[in-house]
Amino acid sequence: MSAKSKMMLFMAVVTIATIFSLVQGIISGRLIPLVLGFIGAASIAMWILALRSTRKDSNHHT
């Protein structure tokens, strides 16, 4: 399995866990699932920003 495939699989799991945590937190009104959901959402956002900047850098240098 390539590094890119492993990263995509990991981010898919993070996305699913994030959605589940946010839904659980909203339904139950508990703070911990909401916090975990927001942390997951922040990590997904940072991953997307990193991918965009990596693509821009690689396209700019070619």
Side-chain angles (χ1 to χ4, degrees):
M1 185 179 270
S2 71
K4 184 177 180 179
S5 297
K6 288 179 185 177
M7 182 56 103
M8 293 299 287
L9 178 64
F10 173 75
M11 290 314 296
V13 171
V14 169
T15 302
I16 292 168
T18 297
I19 292 168
F20 181 73
S21 292
L22 286 172
V23 170
Q24 277 294 110
I26 291 169
I27 290 173
S28 68
R30 293 183 182 170
L31 184 62
I32 292 176
L34 280 174
V35 169
L36 293 175
F38 285 121
I39 290 171
S43 69
I44 292 167
M46 288 188 297
W47 178 68
I48 290 170
L49 289 173
L51 278 181
R52 285 186 176 184
S53 67
T54 302
R55 287 183 185 157
K56 285 180 186 176
D57 289 343
S58 65
N59 288 338
H60 182 67
H61 293 296
T62 55

